Amino acid sequence: MTGMVGGPAELCAVVLAAGEGTRLRPLTERVPKALCPVGNVPLLDRALARLAGLGLAGPARVAVNACYLGDQVVAHVGDRAHLSVEPGDPLGTAGGVANLRDWIDGRPVLVGNADAYLADPAAPPGPDVAALLDGWDGHTVRLLGQPAADPAAPGTFSGHCFTGFSLLPWRFVRDLRVVQSDLVHAVWRPAESVGALEVVAYPGTFYDTGTPADYLAANLHAAAGGTLVDPSASVTGRCVESVVGAGARVHGDVERAVVWPGATVHEGERLRDAIRAGDNLTVPVTCPPPSASTGRKTSSMGDDADERRNVP
């Protein structure tokens, strides 16, 4: 196996985008979490761009699974990747990979969670996670991670929190069953128990964007402590440390907020530490994050309930 950016020629990738994003409701009643914008870019597009930065692009090398509001994911992806639409409820992270077994077809697979926000000031998307491939022997499971505040906490791996990407050899994929199941219990923990799991450190910032607080924090980080406004938005009010989407209208006072594409903040209205969608849907953040310009957040996503439900 080569560690060069671009990866081994037979490597393929799967982006998990089938989950419901229940903790982000009511935002995810409108769009699947994978299409929620961070820094005015849908999370799924960020994942696909990171894979492209590794030389992985197109339906022969990249697959995306879809289920909840899957028609939106299918339309958004188009012909950029192979699509795996799961009927009924999401199959989970392991079941979703198993459902793609014929497409994977003996190749090692890089699996990424669509909702993982990663940012490394020292490297662009793709090269920032290339260490996951460097020197890989093709036999072990690798996880991208960051040191945990409590190395012994549940959900950690070798004292690290999972940060959204794992590298799986075919031998751990071929026997997965197409049933609701998660990678934690179907692959990662079994590999760990036989000494076949490695953690590769990610040096940048990570948010799993699964809660309103983390979703807001990721957006503020993408804005680099300033204000990020789409050129098609109309802003006549005060706008501080916020992200404003395409076609949005901000006529009131906005601070540390995310205004979704097409949304409105009315004159005389004050929006702070919140997400606005449409004309009047507001999701407040009761425990706002610290200043995002230097923020660095990790999560023990590996064992949590969202991972088991394939909220990626």
Side-chain angles (χ1 to χ4, degrees), residues 56-110:
L56 298 168
R61 302 292 300 278
V62 177
V64 175
N65 75 336
C67 184
Y68 174 73
L69 298 180
D71 55 337
Q72 293 187 37
V73 174
V74 169
H76 189 81
V77 171
D79 62 0
R80 291 184 292 165
H82 175 82
L83 283 155
S84 173
V85 181
E86 301 167 8
D89 294 328
L91 287 168
T93 52
V97 171
N99 202 43
L100 281 157
R101 187 168 44 233
D102 290 346
W103 176 84
I104 296 170
D105 192 23
R107 296 178 288 180
V109 57
L110 178 63

Side-chain angles (χ1 to χ4, degrees), residues 205 207 221 224-225 290-297:
T205 296
Y207 291 94
H221 186 274
S291 177
S293 59
T294 57
R296 178 170 173 173
K297 167 72 162 47

Side-chain angles (χ1 to χ4, degrees), residues 220-306:
L220 298 185
H221 186 274
T227 299
L228 182 60
V229 180
D230 186 274
S232 66
S234 172
V235 178
T236 59
R238 176 176 174 269
C239 191
V240 177
E241 197 178 347
S242 296
V243 176
V244 180
R249 297 169 297 280
V250 177
H251 305 306
D253 189 327
V254 171
E255 185 173 354
R256 294 169 55 85
V258 181
V259 182
W260 271 21
T264 301
V265 179
H266 302 279
E267 187 174 355
E269 188 176 13
R270 186 169 186 262
L271 188 72
R272 180 184 174 90
D273 293 316
I275 301 105
R276 167 62 54 84
D279 286 341
N280 51 22
L281 173 59
T282 302
V283 176
V285 175
T286 54
C287 296
S291 177
S293 59
T294 57
R296 178 170 173 173
K297 167 72 162 47
T298 61
S299 167
S300 58
M301 301 169 60
D303 278 348
D304 71 13
D306 269 0

